[in-house]
Amino acid sequence: MAATLKRDVREAILVAAREAAMAYGYGGINFRDLAQAVGIKAASINYYFANKAILGEAVARRYWEDIARDLEAISTDAQSPMEALRQYPSIFRLSLERNNRMCLSSFMATEYDALPEQVLKEVQSFAGVNTAWLREQLVAAKLVEAKDGNTRALAIYAAVAGAQIIARSRSDINLFDSLVRSYRETGLLPN
């Protein structure tokens, strides 16, 4: 029973920290606010996460692990690699649908100079997971040769993440959709 409660509190802290980071970045992870959201004392968070860097690392790692599972589900459920590529922007759109939130890793990447090394490593892993998946789909769809896959995958990742940033700054999800449509019309994303 105590082990279950401990896991539940740890999980609640991770969820609250993820929400804070998606709204305010790494700088928005504040033990006092998290404790209030979870319903515990701020000092109790240190029982689960010794410091903000360790919590930030855990949140960023969980984020890219969740996205890796989402991407795998897209690959499994899609009829083809082309269809999987068409669905890719939807992952970024979901954040905007949730109170105009932004991809945690994109937000944290803008805080590069302020991030502890272990958090930065996990943020970079998110980009790596996305570009590796995109490269795999692009090659499988025969849209690029394997040697050119990384560059195209990075371009797609950067474009979709950038569309999310611009749409968030205007609190306009329709702008995100418009930009993604534009990427399809110009050939960056499959139509």
Side-chain angles (χ1 to χ4, degrees), residues 177-191:
D177 295 338
S178 164
L179 291 168
V180 169
R181 253 190 322 276
S182 168
Y183 298 158
R184 288 189 173 122
E185 289 166 2
T186 59
L188 178 61
L189 283 173
N191 211 350

Side-chain angles (χ1 to χ4, degrees), residues 145-158:
E145 297 291 323
K147 66 180 176 56
D148 302 320
N150 286 334
T151 303
R152 178 79 179 273
L154 279 168
I156 292 170
Y157 170 67

Side-chain angles (χ1 to χ4, degrees), residues 33-163:
D33 294 342
L34 294 176
Q36 184 177 10
V38 174
I40 60 175
K41 293 180 180 173
S44 297
I45 292 179
N46 291 104
Y47 175 76
Y48 300 94
F49 302 97
N51 58 49
K52 183 176 172 176
I54 291 171
L55 175 57
E57 176 185 20
V59 169
R61 181 181 318 110
R62 168 75 65 86
Y63 191 73
W64 72 254
E65 289 171 346
D66 289 348
I67 294 300
R69 279 190 291 280
D70 292 345
L71 291 171
E72 186 57 37
I74 288 173
S75 297
T76 301
D77 296 343
Q79 298 289 332
S80 68
M82 284 289 264
E83 183 185 331
L85 286 165
R86 283 187 207 102
Q87 291 179 28
Y88 177 72
S90 67
I91 289 177
F92 288 80
R93 191 179 198 285
L94 284 174
S95 296
L96 293 168
E97 289 173 3
R98 294 180 52 242
N99 298 318
N100 199 36
R101 295 298 183 243
M102 195 168 110
C103 167
L104 178 146
S105 291
S106 295
F107 209 140
M108 286 187 173
T110 66
E111 300 172 295
Y112 177 87
D113 291 330
L115 292 181
E117 184 67 32
Q118 71 260 39
V119 178
L120 180 59
K121 179 180 173 246
E122 299 302 333
V123 168
Q124 291 169 342
S125 292
F126 177 85
V129 163
N130 276 264
T131 55
W133 183 87
L134 285 164
R135 180 186 179 279
E136 180 181 314
Q137 301 308 311
L138 288 163
V139 170
K142 297 181 177 24
L143 294 174
V144 296
E145 297 291 323
K147 66 180 176 56
D148 302 320
N150 286 334
T151 303
R152 178 79 179 273
L154 279 168
I156 292 170
Y157 170 67
V160 174

Side-chain angles (χ1 to χ4, degrees), residues 21-42:
M22 289 178 77
Y24 310 108
Y26 179 75
I29 298 175
N30 175 299
F31 279 25
R32 186 179 64 249
D33 294 342
L34 294 176
Q36 184 177 10
V38 174
I40 60 175
K41 293 180 180 173

